[in-house]
């Protein structure tokens, strides 16, 4: 008789989302090893700053492309590279864990490629809007705009489910409300900057994009409107 084994929770995580989380932590591990002298020699201490200089999203870079009408790969690539850079180990770890948890949940209702698109479209779109609103603002690093895009997908799925059950759909926004409240509290206590805007935009893009990515999403909305 073969031994019964419960399926590993990792198996249900979309492979592309798993790859994103591993890359987030892989980059951070390299930085940590460099800081501790375990890799790269004395110059490795500056690897994080060099990576931020070369791969963080640049508001001024976006403004330059818009002003000149010229697309430079050096600036454009930053829309998809900035999510893999973080300022601390804890920030990277938290981002990777949230990516896995939310990616697993959303991946149960969306195609795996759609979850991948949701993450990167939210991250890139949020950076563009942030750069347009604040062309002179500080640049962006960190996976959180993409993570908030997954939260947008999560919220849409809960919103859809509550609608199908005939319950109050505003409850679906409890998570984003809680997270924004936490950000507000930390902002008051420790100071904040304008980069929270990218998180909010990531959520909005993720929520709206889910109408396209969730199977039957538009049909459900159309049916609901017809009923009204």
């Amino acid at each position: 008789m073969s031994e019964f084994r419960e399926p590993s929770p990792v198996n249900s995580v979309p492979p592309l989302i798993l790859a994103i989380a591993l890359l987030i932590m892989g980059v951070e591990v390299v930085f940590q090893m460099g800081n501790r002298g375990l890799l790269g020699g004395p110059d490795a201490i500056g690897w994080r700053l060099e990576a931020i200089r070369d791969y963080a999203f640049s508001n001024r870079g976006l403004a330059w492309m818009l002003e000149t009408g010229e697309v430079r790969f050096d600036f454009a690539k930053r829309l998809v590279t900035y999510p893999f850079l973080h300022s601390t180990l804890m920030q990277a770890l938290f981002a990777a864990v949230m990516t896995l948890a939310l990616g697993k949940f959303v991946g149960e209702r969306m195609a795996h490629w759609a979850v991948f698109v949701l993450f990167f479209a939210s991250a890139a779109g949020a950076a563009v809007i942030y750069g347009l609103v604040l062309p002179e603002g500080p640049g962006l690093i960190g996976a959180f705009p993409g993570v908030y895009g997954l939260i947008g997908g999560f919220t849409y799925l809960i919103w859809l489910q509550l609608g199908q059950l005939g319950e109050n759909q505003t409850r679906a926004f409890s998570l984003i409300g809680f997270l924004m409240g936490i950000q507000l509290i930390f902002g008051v206590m420790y100071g904040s900057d304008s980069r929270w805007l990218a998180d909010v935009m990531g959520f909005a893009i993720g929520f709206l994009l889910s109408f396209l990515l969730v199977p039957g999403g538009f049909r459900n909305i159309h049916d609901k409107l017809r009923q009204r």
Side-chain angles (χ1 to χ4, degrees):
M1 181 180 295
S2 60
E3 182 181 356
F4 172 76
R5 295 181 181 180
E6 293 187 5
S8 170
V10 176
N11 292 339
S12 58
V13 177
L16 292 172
I17 289 295
L18 180 60
I20 290 172
L22 290 176
L23 188 53
I24 288 172
M25 289 310 303
V27 170
E28 185 59 34
V29 166
V30 170
F31 291 155
Q32 293 295 326
M33 293 180 68
N35 288 341
R36 288 165 171 73
L38 301 175
L39 189 68
D43 293 339
I45 296 177
W47 279 354
R48 189 189 300 272
L49 292 178
E50 291 177 5
I52 290 174
R53 180 193 65 201
D54 295 336
Y55 297 100
F57 172 74
S58 170
N59 303 48
R60 293 176 179 84
L62 176 64
W64 182 89
M65 288 193 292
L66 292 173
E67 290 171 4
T68 63
E70 180 181 346
V71 177
R72 276 184 52 178
F73 177 74
D74 177 55
F75 293 151
K77 71 181 182 184
R78 296 165 184 257
L79 292 170
V80 294
T81 58
Y82 86 86
F84 300 102
L85 303 173
H86 297 83
S87 57
T88 66
L89 172 61
M90 288 304 300
Q91 187 185 48
L93 182 61
F94 188 54
V97 169
M98 288 191 70
T99 298
L100 288 173
L102 290 161
K104 178 181 182 297
F105 181 89
V106 177
E108 292 173 353
R109 294 289 303 275
M110 292 187 191
H112 288 183
W113 63 265
V115 185
F116 180 80
V117 169
L118 187 66
F119 178 91
F120 277 108
S122 299
V128 169
I129 296 173
Y130 172 73
L132 290 174
V133 174
L134 299 167
E136 298 297 324
L140 285 178
I141 61 171
F144 291 103
V147 169
Y148 271 81
L150 295 178
I151 294 173
F154 169 88
T155 301
Y156 174 77
L157 292 172
I158 299 299
W159 179 82
L160 201 60
Q161 182 178 24
L162 290 172
Q164 292 168 348
L165 295 174
E167 299 184 13
N168 183 5
Q169 289 179 284
T170 59
R171 289 168 47 199
F173 296 90
S174 300
L175 177 59
I176 187 63
F178 172 77
L179 292 173
M180 289 293 100
I182 293 294
Q183 281 201 345
L184 178 61
I185 293 172
F186 274 86
V188 171
M189 294 176 60
Y190 303 108
S192 182
D193 58 35
S194 56
R195 284 174 283 199
W196 61 268
L197 176 63
D199 295 339
V200 174
M201 290 300 101
F203 169 82
I205 292 170
F207 182 81
L208 294 174
L209 193 58
S210 295
F211 283 82
L212 295 173
L213 297 176
V214 172
F218 263 128
R219 185 176 65 252
N220 291 329
I221 299 301
H222 181 262
D223 292 344
K224 181 179 291 289
L225 291 174
R226 287 186 62 184
Q227 291 173 4
R228 293 182 179 179

